Amino acid sequence: MKAFHSIKWRLLIWQAVLLAAVLATLMTLHYQAQKRDLTAKLDAELQETLMAVMPAIAPPQAAPRPDSKPRARITPRRPEWSTNEIQAELKSRGIYLLSAGPAGLQQYGDVPAALIRQTPRPVKQPVQRTRDGYRERIHSRPQMVMVIGKSLDEVTAKMATVLHKLIFIGIAVLISGFLVGWIIVTRSLRPIRAISRTAETIAGGEHHKRIELSDAPDELASLAQTLNESFDHLDEAIETQKRFTADASHELRTPVAVVITQAEAALKKERSAEEYKGVLEACLRAGRRMKTMAESLLELTRLDSRGAVLSKTTCDLNAVVAGAVDSGSLLSEKHPVRFQSLETGPAGLHVHMDKERIHQVITNLIANAVQHNPDGCEICVSLTKDGTIIISDNGIGISAEHLPHIFERFYRVDASRSREQGGAGLGLSIVQRLIEAHGGTITTVSKPGHGATFVITLPLA
Ligand code: ADP
């Protein structure tokens, strides 16, 4: 039964069954045609013999009318045959003849006993029949019935030879078909073995290994390509995961070190209340940073595993952006925030979104502009007619070398400065994941000294 679980054996068994069925059909047809042919030959021999001897054993028929055509078929070759000659001739050919007429029953050759017991009845048309291993022809003349027959032994012996030949040819074709099928199937399935071997190697830890199939059939080549692409993604995911874990532990180590160092220093000797207050404040700042980072990490993990539940509703984008600008403008008095809406349609711009999260995205971007730019920097939030949200500032900007990386996790242009301000370099990663979770995009353009611009597009409802 194990064979049925293997593709190779299933294919081979099906092929063998089909081949055997086709061969059996063809061989049966051929066998029957041969048998029909031999029987027809025997019938012709019986008829010819009967026609030849009939003038000698049957009374002449009524003379044909002058206008009717002569019946050439029954012209005897030797009408003058004697009874003994007929006996000898029929015996030598293994043919028997029984005639029942006014002169009674007459037998020629070795007539089977069963036939003598049942005197044949007259027939309107000549009849051919197979009976007890004999082929017979019954022919009636006025007041006379003749039965001529011959044993089928010869036909049976010839058919047995034909059958043996057919069985031999059939087995030979079946075996060669099976062998050819085996070679073809084994060759076709060879790439699958290569694929599973490579997959095992990769599972064993060699993540950079890939399936190499140069001469595989199209279907398997595309399977290998798909698998290789999946391995690439997995490899990338594993690398990202490793980097992420390393970065996260590195980032968390700093505030933990601050807490430990401050506490150890404070405990070394008796301190004034003012000094204890300073230590506690430093520990509190470090604790807050850890809390923010832990929350950001949790949020990113949820977004990555699609576990973040977005409660989406269809709402007016203008109102959501205006609300976020109001909240953002409260962050700093020294960074004025302006809102400019070009949306003029009477129906408004409707987007299927989690409005809390979109609010969070816009306030995060305003907070970044406040956090990373000096006092007096202006921030402008615009909403275009097609629902694009643009958050720009005229601050320090981001240089070209940093621009492609700012959405990466833990990436900061000025790490020490950003860390001091409490940033872990996760804000833009979360913003990007949230926009992607809404089916939108976020891009940025910037020139050092000329501010930074973030462009968000969201699919309209
Ligand atoms: P964080 O703000 O915690 O440092 P983010 O992921 O929010 O991390 O931002 C990544 C980096 O992008 C920041 O460190 C900052 O240097 C830079 N950045 C983001 N927004 C702006 C901005 N509006 N102007 C200048 N630099 C910015």
Side-chain angles (χ1 to χ4, degrees):
M1 283 304 107
K2 214 180 162 200
F4 285 99
H5 291 287
S6 140
I7 296 178
K8 181 177 178 174
W9 278 104
R10 275 189 203 186
L11 286 173
L12 286 173
I13 290 169
W14 273 111
Q15 183 225 358
V17 169
L18 275 178
L19 192 60
V22 171
L23 278 175
T25 314
L26 289 178
M27 278 158 52
T28 311
L29 290 175
H30 179 77
Y31 182 84
Q32 282 170 350
Q34 283 277 312
K35 197 173 176 186
R36 264 200 310 275
D37 196 32
L38 287 176
T39 314
K41 272 187 190 148
L42 180 56
D43 288 343
E45 186 190 356
L46 291 176
Q47 187 189 1
E48 206 176 287
T49 311
L50 183 64
M51 290 304 139
V53 299
M54 201 184 299
I57 59 168
Q61 281 188 298
R65 279 180 280 144
D67 55 337
S68 67
K69 287 183 184 165
R71 300 170 83 178
R73 262 175 64 228
I74 56 169
T75 305
R77 270 177 287 164
R78 292 189 58 193
E80 70 282 7
W81 272 11
S82 70
T83 307
N84 284 345
E85 279 177 324
I86 294 172
Q87 281 283 15
E89 176 71 15
L90 293 191
K91 257 194 173 170
S92 74
R93 289 162 66 179
I95 294 175
Y96 58 81
L97 175 67
L98 182 79
S99 71
L105 273 183
Q106 285 185 8
Q107 299 175 37
Y108 306 91
D110 299 324
V111 180
L115 183 63
I116 304 168
R117 281 197 298 273
Q118 295 171 4
T119 314
R121 295 207 187 113
V123 287
K124 282 183 193 153
Q125 293 285 329
V127 169
Q128 262 129 213
R129 68 179 184 194
T130 301
R131 206 176 62 123
D132 300 338
Y134 294 97
R135 184 75 179 163
E136 292 177 340
R137 182 180 172 86
I138 308 168
H139 196 98
S140 288
R141 295 287 296 271
Q143 301 168 6
M144 195 166 201
V145 183
M146 285 159 286
V147 180
I148 187 164
K150 190 176 179 179
S151 163
L152 279 168
D153 285 352
E154 214 176 299
V155 174
T156 312
K158 278 185 185 164
M159 286 319 295
T161 316
V162 170
L163 187 66
H164 288 149
K165 271 187 196 163
L166 284 177
I167 289 174
F168 176 76
I169 293 170
I171 290 174
V173 171
L174 206 60
I175 290 174
S176 21
F178 189 82
L179 286 178
V180 171
W182 174 282
I183 294 167
I184 293 172
V185 173
T186 311
R187 277 195 182 175
S188 309
L189 295 181
R190 202 173 288 160
I192 292 185
R193 277 206 300 283
I195 290 174
S196 69
R197 265 201 305 273
T198 315
E200 275 168 22
T201 322
I202 294 170
E206 290 182 45
H207 299 285
H208 300 293
K209 216 164 169 110
R210 293 293 174 265
I211 301 161
E212 274 159 33
L213 295 179
S214 43
D215 54 348
D218 284 354
E219 294 84 350
L220 292 180
S222 86
L223 171 71
Q225 196 190 341
T226 313
L227 283 173
N228 278 343
E229 279 166 15
S230 310
F231 293 143
D232 284 345
H233 289 311
L234 274 177
D235 210 13
E236 216 175 283
I238 291 169
E239 287 304 318
T240 313
Q241 196 66 35
K242 278 187 191 162
R243 230 180 13 245
F244 185 70
T245 315
D247 287 347
S249 39
H250 177 78
E251 289 301 325
L252 282 168
R253 223 169 38 206
T254 316
V256 170
V258 169
V259 172
I260 293 171
T261 329
Q262 291 282 335
E264 278 175 352
L267 288 172
K268 265 194 183 143
K269 58 177 184 171
E270 205 58 36
R271 307 269 173 185
S272 67
E274 203 57 34
E275 281 174 319
Y276 279 126
K277 196 180 166 204
V279 168
L280 283 176
E281 276 170 358
C283 288
L284 188 63
R285 274 198 304 278
R288 282 196 179 126
R289 259 179 61 202
M290 279 193 276
K291 183 173 176 262
T292 317
M293 203 184 304
E295 281 169 359
S296 301
L297 284 173
L298 192 65
E299 182 152 23
L300 264 178
T301 313
R302 281 206 193 118
L303 284 165
D304 280 347
S305 62
R306 295 176 213 282
V309 186
L310 299 180
S311 53
K312 288 187 185 174
T313 47
T314 305
C315 24
D316 184 11
L317 191 58
N318 206 343
V320 175
V321 178
V325 172
D326 283 348
S327 308
S329 55
L330 299 175
L331 292 172
S332 163
E333 283 177 7
K334 292 165 185 157
H335 295 80
V337 185
R338 198 158 45 90
F339 179 44
Q340 190 183 30
S341 175
L342 300 175
E343 188 263 309
T344 48
L349 283 167
H350 287 98
V351 173
H352 193 58
M353 62 180 165
D354 184 331
K355 56 182 179 185
E356 294 301 327
R357 297 312 190 101
I358 298 299
H359 184 281
Q360 177 191 344
V361 165
I362 297 164
T363 48
N364 271 7
L365 291 172
I366 296 173
N368 264 357
V370 169
Q371 203 177 6
H372 299 294
N373 289 304
D375 294 351
C377 162
E378 285 177 16
I379 301 158
C380 177
V381 180
S382 324
L383 181 63
T384 66
K385 279 183 202 169
D386 60 352
T388 305
I389 309 163
I390 303 164
I391 296 125
S392 58
D393 62 67
N394 59 356
I396 58 167
I398 305 162
S399 64
E401 60 170 308
H402 296 295
L403 212 52
H405 305 289
I406 56 165
F407 290 104
E408 288 171 15
R409 286 154 196 206
F410 297 108
Y411 193 86
R412 286 161 301 201
V413 172
D414 183 347
S416 57
R417 206 172 148 259
S418 186
R419 200 178 283 132
E420 267 168 35
Q421 292 163 339
L426 294 171
L428 286 181
S429 307
I430 294 174
V431 162
Q432 189 185 39
R433 293 295 292 117
L434 280 172
I435 294 297
E436 281 170 0
H438 280 83
T441 57
I442 177 163
T443 50
T444 176
V445 277
S446 180
K447 233 178 171 187
H450 290 87
T453 301
F454 290 85
V455 182
I456 297 170
T457 57
L458 288 169
L460 295 178

